[in-house]
């Protein structure tokens, strides 16, 4: 059986009540409907404002966090660059020291060779020339071995000094990674 506004006993108008005669009757006045619509609009506006505020705060926090990480990255990069500069400076000083040592050795070796040449030219016998040459060869070999030892120490010290700042940065990075775990 079908009545106006009803299908099998159920109302087609949920905001309407069914009168005893079977006709839908509005239970709310237009003023109440306007208040309900205004209340719904206010609720929607409040919800949108809450979402907007939460979104703005989340965005602001994300930007601030990103800037903080960027500043930290820049500080880390600056320290790395300073370490590279310190390493190159130490390497340059090592090369300069090695070059100075090599020049000093070359100068002394040339002076010794000139001196032995003069001595050999003044030798009175073949035996004396052989003895002078043997003495010179022995002293030249001893000087060469001493010089190689000095140069080895300079190179070792230079490598140690030039690697120190880089090792410090690697250690700092490893510690930072371990702290992040």
């Amino acid at each position: 059986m079908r009545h106006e506004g009803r299908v099998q006993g159920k109302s087609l108008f949920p905001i309407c009540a069914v009168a005893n005669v079977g006709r839908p009757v509005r239970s709310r006045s237009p003023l109440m409907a306007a208040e309900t619509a205004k209340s719904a609009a206010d609720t929607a506006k409040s919800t949108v404002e809450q979402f907007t505020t939460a979104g703005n705060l989340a965005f602001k926090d994300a930007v601030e966090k990103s800037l903080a990480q960027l500043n930290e990255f820049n500080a880390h990069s600056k320290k790395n660059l300073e370490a590279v500069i310190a390493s190159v400076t130490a390497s340059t000083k090592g090369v300069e020291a090695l070059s100075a040592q090599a020049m000093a050795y070359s100068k002394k070796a040339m002076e010794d060779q000139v001196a032995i040449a003069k001595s050999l030219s003044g030798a009175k016998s073949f035996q004396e020339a052989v003895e002078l040459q043997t003495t010179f060869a022995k002293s030249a070999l001893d000087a060469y071995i001493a010089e190689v030892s000095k140069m080895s120490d300079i190179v070792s010290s230079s490598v140690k000094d030039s690697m120190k700042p880089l090792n410090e940065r690697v250690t700092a990075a490893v510690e930072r990674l371990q702290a992040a775990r």
Side-chain angles (χ1 to χ4, degrees):
M1 177 179 216
R2 192 169 177 162
H3 293 278
E4 185 179 311
R6 294 174 65 99
V7 175
Q8 298 179 355
K10 296 181 183 176
S11 175
L12 292 177
F13 307 103
I15 59 170
C16 299
V18 179
N20 289 337
V21 271
R23 291 189 195 153
V25 176
R26 298 210 180 255
S27 62
R28 296 186 180 173
S29 68
L31 183 59
M32 288 179 77
E35 287 177 7
T36 303
K38 184 177 185 298
S39 174
D42 289 343
T43 302
K45 181 180 177 185
S46 173
T47 302
V48 168
E49 287 174 353
Q50 288 174 353
F51 281 127
T52 302
T53 301
N56 287 342
L57 284 174
F59 180 75
K60 181 182 174 186
D61 289 344
V63 167
E64 288 174 355
K65 188 175 181 181
S66 295
L67 288 175
Q69 289 175 345
L70 183 61
N71 287 337
E72 184 179 332
F73 177 76
N74 285 340
H76 186 70
S77 295
K78 181 181 177 186
K79 289 177 183 176
N80 286 346
L81 181 60
E82 289 169 352
V84 168
I85 290 170
S87 177
V88 169
T89 301
S91 295
T92 302
K93 287 179 182 177
V95 168
E96 288 171 356
L98 189 62
S99 296
Q101 187 66 31
M103 287 297 289
Y105 173 73
S106 296
K107 182 179 177 184
K108 175 141 178 29
M110 285 297 288
E111 290 170 355
D112 290 346
Q113 289 172 4
V114 169
I116 193 63
K118 287 180 182 177
S119 296
L120 284 174
S121 66
K124 304 211 188 297
S125 68
F126 180 74
Q127 182 65 27
E128 185 181 352
V130 170
E131 287 175 8
L132 287 172
Q133 181 62 34
T134 303
T135 303
F136 171 74
K138 184 177 182 225
S139 66
L141 183 59
D142 290 342
Y144 177 75
I145 290 172
E147 191 62 29
V148 167
S149 177
K150 287 179 188 176
M151 287 184 175
S152 176
D153 290 343
I154 291 172
V155 169
S156 175
S157 175
S158 175
V159 168
K160 180 181 170 188
D161 292 346
S162 65
M163 293 305 292
K164 183 180 177 186
L166 299 177
N167 286 337
E168 289 172 354
R169 293 307 306 148
V170 169
T171 301
V174 168
E175 288 172 355
R176 184 173 171 226
L177 287 174
Q178 288 176 343
R181 287 186 191 184

